[in-house]
Amino acid sequence: MLNKKIFILLPDGVGLRNFAFSNFFKFGLQQNFDIRYWNNTPFDLTTLGFDEVKIKNAKANLLTDSYKNARKHIELNLNIQIEKDPVYDTYRFPFSYKKLKPAVKNLISQFLIATHSSNKGLKKIREKIKKLEKSGNYYAHCLETLKIEKPDFVFCTNQRPVLAIAPLLAAQELKIPTATFIFSWDNLPKATMVVETDFYFVWSEHMKKELLHYYPYIKENQIFVTGTPQFESHFDTNNTASKSEFFEKYQLDFNKKYACYSGDDFTTCPDDPQYLSDVADAVRELNNQGNSIGIIFRRCPVDFSKRYDLVLEKNKDIITPIAPLWEKVGEDWNTILPTKEDLELQINTIKHTEMVLNLGSSMVFDYVAHQKPCAFINYDVPNKVDKNWSVSKIYQYVHFRSMPNKNAVLWLNSPQDIKEKIRLGLEQSTETIENAQKWFEIISGHSPESVSEKIWKAIEKIVH
């Protein structure tokens, strides 16, 4: 007989990779849980053999977005006051007034920020969000679903989406225990917490300290340190293809060693095409000196722009683009969904390349899981697309302060630097990998290969 019924809440597509395309479901079944995905994504999980309960007509209260944005800015204001650290200002996005609806929402947010920037005011905002979300049809539908399905536990895969609030409040109303997973390594300093649950699942002791620091109303006994399924698939040999299979499929040259250039979205790195061009120039110089090196370009999955086209055409003898296998089901970035096939593609790209180059991405951890080095871009180009953007802003972010020392990556401090750092990455990367491994353990904890098992053990502890 099946044990306890667990609802895995997918408020958006962000949690698919961690909790649908990993071994998470398989481990849950082995623990004898009855698992249902409470699915608010367009993805049909029954095609993977999962049981799902579709969320239909999910809609937040008209005012919730304004209150959510106000909450974020108030939390950042309070962090600046407490820590005397202006870095929190860099986590803000400018308010837009180009269209009427966003303009009205943003004016409301700004009024709330001006009138509630205190701990007492923040608490009022948090309570108001709950009140707003409890007043709508979406909340009523969630209540009805939970009364019919009677789950023993609701686990939310992502702490950020507004559409996760009503389902979790409905569960709490029915005295069903709830938890949320903190999705990304940089989320807590950025004030991205939208939901409030009975329990919180974090990657590491480092993230646990951050959670207690930024959200003092959360108590230590509410937190489970489990790691993240994000890296678990790197340790599953079932996902890997042979070199000959991979090289033949993507028409790669068997005589070349390949480095991966991992792209960012436009907001994070507007000058990414120029950086890719600089890397191609360095590789061309290395090849002219008798080396045989190629570049695999993996663009950011939500970047469908043509901004790289000229660089790719100019360097088609060196760069092979291999596009991520994500599905675009809408116009917004959060309607571009990962696929299981892309997870396997990413793993094989890492397996069959020697190193990765990018701007401050968590790909450093994906690569060190395969004992391979990462190089971080660390200079501004002369003709910047956005004059107000600078690479220095990226590495000031709080999550980079977790780096145990600067030798965890190779630093590309100028275009002239790239050639030698690629050479080091290919020939003398042992020290870099060892330091990156220490950083990986700080961020993701120990035993990244058995995270799903740890999460289910924590769930078992809660429901029994």
Side-chain angles (χ1 to χ4, degrees), residues 23 32 94 125 127 192 199 205 240 331 338 410 420 441 447:
N23 288 322
N32 216 29
I125 295 287
E127 292 307 314
T192 63
F199 301 97
E205 289 294 334
T240 56
E331 291 307 312
L410 299 163
E420 184 55 34
E441 287 172 7
S447 307

Side-chain angles (χ1 to χ4, degrees), residues 347-359:
I347 289 166
N348 283 297
T349 301
I350 295 168
K351 183 183 177 186
H352 299 299
T353 51
E354 309 298 318
M355 65 183 296
V356 66
L357 305 94
N358 60 43
L359 178 78

Side-chain angles (χ1 to χ4, degrees), residues 42-53:
F43 197 93
D44 181 2
L45 292 175
T46 63
T47 61
L48 298 176
F50 301 162
D51 290 328
E52 70 173 10
V53 176

Side-chain angles (χ1 to χ4, degrees), residues 250-253 256 258 276-277 280-281 283-284 287 293-297 308-321:
Y250 294 103
Q251 298 180 324
L252 302 171
D253 185 341
K256 284 183 178 179
Y258 283 88
L276 176 59
S277 179
D281 289 346
V283 167
R284 194 176 297 282
N287 288 347
I293 302 167
I295 300 167
I296 289 176
F297 171 54
Y308 296 99
D309 287 3
L310 289 174
V311 178
L312 295 174
E313 179 60 31
K314 179 187 170 188
N315 296 284
K316 59 186 177 184
D317 58 323
I318 288 175
I319 304 173
T320 303

Side-chain angles (χ1 to χ4, degrees), residues 372-384:
K372 295 180 180 182
C374 172
F376 275 175
I377 292 155
N378 191 34
Y379 64 92
D380 288 342
V381 299
N383 300 308
K384 293 194 283 188

Side-chain angles (χ1 to χ4, degrees), residues 93-104:
F93 288 101
F95 289 105
S96 172
Y97 299 98
K98 290 177 182 175
K99 294 181 180 177
L100 182 60
K101 193 174 176 182
V104 172

